[in-house]
Amino acid sequence: MEVLKLFAPYGPGWLGGVLLVLVAFYFGRQFLDEYKAQNERKANIDLKREERKQEEVAERAQRDRERSQMEGRIAAQMERSNSLMEAMKTLMESVVASNEVLHSDLAHSQARSQGMAQKVDHICDRVDLMYNKETSR
């Protein structure tokens, strides 16, 4: 009531105006608080989005590092495989050359054996002839 007495000399228009200003101030303050809260929520959402982007970038970098390491291992394995294949190729060439030498030696040995068999047959024939001469006397 004392408040009304304060505004009585100014009239009811002033009292309504002051009430209107107080209501506007009250709702304006609530609007401002809600606006600040909304901005904070947006900022938090943006911050979380940036954090997720940074995590994705870190994951992508980790995958790239792992892929590079794997490609390095694959390249090293392929080098070892290629060197082993070259060694096997060299070994096979050596085996083929050895087989050719053995085949040549075998053919030469067979030819010598045939020659020796002919000589032995000739000696055998001579011995038989001599034996037959001795026994026939």
Side-chain angles (χ1 to χ4, degrees):
M1 284 297 194
E2 292 180 22
V3 174
L4 291 177
K5 287 181 184 176
L6 282 172
F7 289 105
Y10 301 110
W14 277 95
L15 182 63
V18 168
L19 284 176
L20 187 62
V21 168
L22 288 176
V23 168
F25 180 74
Y26 175 77
F27 283 116
R29 184 157 176 104
Q30 281 187 350
F31 176 75
L32 185 62
D33 290 341
E34 183 61 31
Y35 181 75
K36 287 179 183 178
Q38 185 71 20
N39 280 344
E40 286 178 13
R41 283 192 294 268
K42 285 181 183 179
N44 286 337
I45 289 171
D46 290 342
L47 183 63
K48 288 179 183 178
R49 184 179 303 133
E50 286 299 318
E51 288 173 357
R52 268 188 270 126
K53 285 181 182 179
Q54 289 299 326
E55 289 172 2
E56 289 174 2
V57 167
E59 287 175 8
R60 195 173 304 123
Q62 179 66 25
R63 279 191 306 245
D64 288 345
R65 280 191 297 275
E66 290 172 356
R67 187 179 310 121
S68 294
Q69 290 172 350
M70 185 62 73
E71 288 172 355
R73 284 188 220 126
I74 289 170
Q77 185 64 31
M78 289 193 65
E79 282 294 319
R80 285 191 295 271
S81 177
N82 286 342
S83 66
L84 284 174
M85 290 197 44
E86 285 296 321
M88 289 296 290
K89 183 179 175 185
T90 304
L91 180 64
M92 288 303 293
E93 288 172 356
S94 171
V95 167
V96 165
S98 176
N99 281 346
E100 288 174 359
V101 168
L102 288 174
H103 182 69
S104 173
D105 285 348
L106 179 62
H108 179 60
S109 177
Q110 285 175 343
R112 283 185 56 213
S113 293
Q114 286 176 350
M116 287 169 40
Q118 288 173 353
K119 286 180 183 178
V120 168
D121 284 342
H122 180 69
I123 292 171
C124 186
D125 289 340
R126 293 285 180 181
V127 169
D128 284 344
L129 184 63
M130 285 174 33
Y131 180 72
N132 287 337
K133 274 186 181 181
E134 280 296 319
T135 54
S136 55
R137 279 196 231 185

